[in-house]
Amino acid sequence: MATVFQSPGTATALSSNSFDSTKLLVPSRRSLSERKASFFCVRSEMKPTPIARRADNLVVNAVATKADSSASSTASKPGHELLLFEALREGLEEEMDRDPTVCVMGEDVGHYGGSYKVTRGLAEKYGDLRVLDTPIAENSFTGMGIGAAMTGLRPIVEGMNMGFLLLAFNQISNNCGMLHYTSGGQFKIPIVIRGPGGVGRQLGAEHSQRLESYFQSIPGIQMVACSTPYNAKGLMKAAIRSENPVILFEHVLLYNLKERIPDEEYICNLEEAEMVRPGEHITILTYSRMRYHVMQAAKTLVNKGYDPEVIDIRSLKPFDLYTIGNSVKKTHRVLIVEECMRTGGIGASLTSAINENFHDYLDAPIVCLSSQDVPTPYAGTLEEWTVVQPAQIVTAVEQFCQ
Amino acid sequence: MALSHIATSSSRSNLLRPLTSALSCTSHSLRRPISSSAATDDSTTLTIETSVPFTTHKCDEPSRTVETTPKELLSFFHDMATMRRMEIAADSLYKAKLIRGFCHLYDGQEAVAVGMEAAITKKDAIITAYRDHCIFLGRGGTLLEVFAELMGRQAGCSRGKGGSMHFYKKDSGFYGGHGIVGAQVPLGCGLAFAQKYSKDEAVTFALYGDGAANQGQLFEALNIAALWDLPAILVCENNHCKDRKRGLDSI
């Protein structure tokens, strides 16, 4: 089971759209034991790809607190600092180097470098056939990506905004999700569909959609949401190596997060949740941008004497009920904080999953804080009110833990 | 038996007539009649010219003459006859409620499947919509796999999980078998892209019908195929089904 610990100090300064976590990690070996935070990375248990893996180069424990003899030599490496979109690009580039069947297609990914700079420089390095600029035709280029995946290529389809993938819903649902089943297992679809979604800064209703709630019912696909540069790179690499179709949800406002990540190659398990902050009183489940709202609220809560356990669920389909279950058994209270709509969102599914599986361990009904069931307004103040804010999280926890 | 009604249908009675007389009434475009002794002679080459000229747009017209042998022609006929009987049998099974859901038949269009197969290799890919039984057969599928799949048995080509509209044969490049009208065309262009990417020197045939000709995704895929210069050949099989279904016009 993979666990990643981060100190509460990381949840600062979200309003300025940048996130300085240099305070978090100190590279010298001496301070590792003093550090409150530690990182573990567990290799995902996936089927090996036909292309030869550089398995020996993949480090199991990239950075560790205790001086493990295997990890101690790597623990002294300082790692390098980068922004989330650069982490995604690094993951992408490493996989494209490793496997010649990996290609990227999307609008403006080629010569423009990607609308969020995730694919900057890749077209010059790999050429037009591996980094493809598509016209504005989501339905057909997603379909083309799926057709290419049927033959064994590993395309990465980028939606400029996840909301545009609604136009490709038929391809994603029927062909991407179901082909493996309806062909009796003959075809694998090792495609990655990724793009930014979520509520941004006054982007308007149509460009602020949360598509994870619409896609979650599609049988046959996996969904993951990244939230830090570390897990962005890890999840990107794992998604590309996976034989299943994976939808990787990024968030428009998280692209400029800065973090120090290890130099060594690592991947994150696609089906595992991340323990952000262990605690005793209440389990707070969250993902993507809401993680930072929760951590901001956690700071306030800690000052008030509460001890919340914060888990970034990361895997939206399937849920990591193992990590979540262990947490529920410990704290007996669950609060879900999400950016999805109240109706039919990830929180709704998670609530019912936890109720079904861990009902006896709950002391109180699960509370789910989600966005309002309205189209996201353009006006900034109104937009703020549709999304869950840290103050609301604090109030909810206080009410919960009375 | 359910097949008995075939004999009463006049348009289908050719199947039950002797081989040579059936040939003589359908093959009016041949210059020489094929006698039963020449049928086994592989050395005679026949040159056949298509009766209808090609209409082209910004490309060269393909040759109208093709060379073949009597043996090859007879094998085409055998395949087409098998396909026809298979479809009629499927029709009867459907009416007997042994095949449920949808069963789209390809009788009358067998020549497209057989003619296409004759010109290509198994490395070339074919993708089509839901009228896929005969193309599956042409690509090397067996009748057992067809009927088992239609009736939802494990011996079917998709292990009974797909049904009539989801026939696939990966090892001979048949990519289905798709239920949503027009959705297979972008997939087909994706197959062509993969062939270009892997430098396969093969092409993809993406078949669609007159109904799918209305779909935007078809033109989107055509546009991308033209932009990226993909080895995709889109084949429209106009059986006027759309007109029967909805009575609308399309280009």
Side-chain angles (χ1 to χ4, degrees):
Chain A
M1 182 176 114
T3 49
V4 175
F5 297 81
Q6 270 188 337
S7 75
T10 61
T12 53
L14 191 63
S15 51
S16 57
N17 247 4
S18 74
F19 166 72
D20 190 20
S21 64
T22 46
K23 306 182 202 100
L24 173 64
L25 281 174
V26 184
S28 69
R29 180 130 156 67
R30 190 168 31 87
S31 62
L32 274 172
S33 49
E34 302 158 359
R35 235 176 345 129
K36 298 188 194 97
S38 63
F39 288 86
F40 287 90
C41 162
V42 172
R43 232 176 103 193
S44 146
E45 303 97 13
M46 294 182 298
K47 277 186 284 182
T49 58
I51 317 287
R53 292 170 297 156
R54 285 185 276 137
D56 32 1
N57 288 352
L58 206 65
V59 178
V60 171
N61 291 324
V63 183
T65 43
K66 310 294 180 205
D68 254 1
S69 54
S70 54
S72 56
S73 53
T74 61
S76 55
K77 278 197 183 165
H80 55 287
E81 206 173 66
L82 38 54
L83 305 174
L84 195 142
F85 71 86
E86 289 168 350
L88 286 167
R89 191 199 319 149
E90 229 180 61
L92 196 46
E93 205 169 335
E94 283 174 18
E95 289 305 303
M96 287 181 83
D97 274 334
R98 181 180 171 272
D99 187 347
T101 62
V102 177
C103 54
V104 185
M105 52 176 82
E107 294 158 17
D108 283 343
V109 297
H111 296 282
Y112 186 74
S115 41
Y116 291 93
K117 298 172 281 199
V118 175
T119 50
R120 179 176 281 182
L122 295 182
E124 287 82 35
K125 186 174 173 188
Y126 296 107
D128 279 338
L129 202 56
R130 288 189 77 185
V131 183
L132 299 137
D133 273 321
T134 63
I136 306 177
E138 283 79 9
N139 196 354
S140 47
F141 73 70
T142 310
M144 286 182 66
I146 296 166
M150 280 168 89
T151 66
L153 286 191
R154 306 185 95 87
I156 296 150
V157 173
E158 173 175 317
M160 191 183 266
N161 188 296
M162 275 307 211
F164 305 160
L165 291 181
L166 283 174
L167 290 154
F169 205 106
N170 172 50
Q171 297 288 350
I172 295 173
S173 166
N174 288 328
N175 294 330
C176 180
M178 301 196 199
L179 254 176
H180 183 65
Y181 184 87
T182 56
S183 66
Q186 285 180 67
F187 294 108
K188 289 203 185 70
I189 319 284
I191 193 174
V192 176
I193 298 174
R194 49 160 291 265
V199 177
R201 292 261 180 264
Q202 296 188 255
L203 294 175
E206 288 161 348
H207 295 76
S208 314
Q209 298 191 71
R210 280 72 89 192
L211 248 57
E212 53 268 22
S213 59
Y214 306 151
F215 287 148
Q216 64 177 325
S217 289
I218 299 174
I221 56 162
Q222 261 185 287
M223 304 200 311
V224 286
C226 64
S227 47
T228 64
Y230 181 84
N231 61 35
K233 179 177 173 186
L235 288 173
M236 169 74 99
K237 288 169 72 81
I240 296 172
R241 293 186 195 187
S242 169
E243 297 293 326
N244 299 321
V246 178
I247 305 186
L248 172 59
F249 289 92
E250 302 152 13
H251 198 285
V252 277
L253 292 181
L254 298 184
Y255 278 122
N256 290 322
L257 284 180
K258 199 188 274 195
E259 192 185 1
R260 181 159 241 117
I261 65 170
D263 285 329
E264 307 83 30
E265 198 182 5
Y266 68 92
I267 50 178
C268 292
N269 193 327
L270 282 177
E271 287 143 25
E272 227 151 350
E274 190 179 315
M275 178 73 71
V276 184
R277 180 190 188 280
E280 295 290 325
H281 289 164
I282 179 173
T283 301
I284 305 183
L285 301 171
T286 180
Y287 66 93
S288 193
R289 181 181 165 223
M290 286 297 116
R291 168 189 174 138
Y292 297 97
H293 280 206
V294 167
M295 292 311 291
Q296 252 185 306
K299 255 182 61 172
T300 317
L301 287 169
V302 163
N303 289 338
K304 292 190 178 186
Y306 296 98
D307 189 19
E309 176 156 295
V310 181
I311 296 180
D312 181 345
I313 59 174
R314 246 168 43 181
S315 168
L316 303 179
K317 185 181 165 118
F319 293 130
D320 181 8
L321 288 175
Y322 181 72
T323 312
I324 295 172
N326 284 344
S327 180
V328 173
K329 289 174 190 173
K330 186 166 67 163
T331 65
H332 310 292
R333 289 179 191 86
V334 178
L335 173 70
I336 301 173
V337 180
E338 55 156 2
E339 209 180 9
C340 259
M341 309 298 214
R342 164 143 234 92
T343 308
I346 297 287
S349 302
L350 193 50
T351 304
S352 92
I354 298 174
N355 271 330
E356 266 174 47
N357 290 294
F358 307 113
H359 185 262
D360 288 335
Y361 297 97
L362 291 170
D363 280 347
I366 300 174
V367 173
C368 181
L369 295 178
S370 24
S371 299
Q372 305 297 315
D373 276 330
V374 291
T376 311
Y378 164 72
T381 42
L382 289 178
E383 186 186 60
E384 249 179 53
W385 275 105
T386 65
V387 174
V388 179
Q389 299 296 335
Q392 293 168 307
I393 303 172
V394 173
T395 320
V397 172
E398 284 176 339
Q399 277 176 349
F400 218 140
C401 293
Q402 262 161 10
Chain B
M1 185 50 205
L3 291 172
S4 60
H5 79 281
I6 293 173
T8 58
S9 161
S10 57
S11 64
R12 293 161 185 164
S13 56
N14 282 334
L15 281 174
L16 300 176
R17 282 207 225 142
L19 216 58
T20 48
S21 53
L23 267 178
S24 60
C25 61
T26 54
S27 55
H28 53 275
S29 59
L30 286 177
R31 295 199 197 129
R32 255 183 272 169
I34 302 171
S35 65
S36 44
S37 60
T40 50
D41 180 10
D42 214 3
S43 57
T44 28
T45 315
L46 304 168
T47 312
I48 300 178
E49 192 173 314
T50 60
S51 49
V52 182
F54 292 108
T55 323
T56 59
H57 172 71
K58 292 193 175 177
C59 68
D60 294 326
E61 198 184 278
S63 165
R64 278 176 66 183
T65 55
V66 67
E67 291 198 342
T68 180
T69 65
K71 192 165 172 216
E72 197 183 35
L73 281 178
L74 275 172
S75 78
F76 293 163
F77 178 80
H78 178 265
D79 291 339
M80 283 165 54
T82 312
M83 289 174 180
R84 177 65 66 95
R85 291 199 69 178
M86 172 185 78
E87 292 295 73
I88 303 309
D91 187 35
S92 314
L93 289 171
Y94 186 76
K95 291 187 170 118
K97 293 210 196 313
L98 286 164
I99 299 175
R100 310 304 305 257
F102 296 101
C103 189
H104 300 278
L105 299 177
Y106 203 70
D107 53 318
Q109 298 173 230
E110 305 91 343
V112 178
V114 169
M116 211 163 63
E117 278 300 333
I120 62 178
T121 68
K122 287 287 185 281
K123 269 189 70 182
D124 299 307
I126 300 183
I127 191 169
T128 182
Y130 38 78
R131 235 173 267 281
D132 51 357
H133 307 163
C134 298
I135 305 210
F136 173 76
L137 215 61
R139 285 260 97 177
T142 64
L143 284 170
L144 175 67
E145 283 178 326
V146 171
F147 284 110
E149 184 62 36
L150 287 173
M151 295 201 268
R153 308 302 170 95
Q154 207 177 36
C157 55
S158 302
R159 298 172 184 254
K161 293 182 182 178
S164 162
M165 299 196 283
H166 297 286
F167 280 33
Y168 305 90
K169 197 158 171 60
K170 185 175 184 184
D171 46 7
S172 44
F174 179 51
Y175 290 86
H178 297 276
I180 306 293
V181 169
Q184 77 279 9
V185 180
L187 284 184
C189 291
L191 297 172
F193 167 70
Q195 285 171 333
K196 180 176 180 178
Y197 191 97
S198 316
K199 301 185 177 41
D200 269 354
E201 306 281 327
V203 296
T204 300
F205 288 83
L207 280 69
Y208 65 97
D210 45 318
N214 292 304
Q215 281 272 321
Q217 53 189 328
L218 189 145
F219 297 98
E220 288 178 27
L222 262 176
N223 182 33
I224 300 184
L227 281 173
W228 292 352
D229 196 25
L230 300 180
I233 299 174
L234 272 69
V235 180
C236 177
E237 298 177 282
N238 186 1
N239 54 12
H240 300 280
C241 245
K242 166 193 69 64
D243 302 329
R244 263 198 304 116
K245 281 184 186 167
R246 295 189 201 164
L248 296 169
D249 282 329
S250 76
I251 299 171

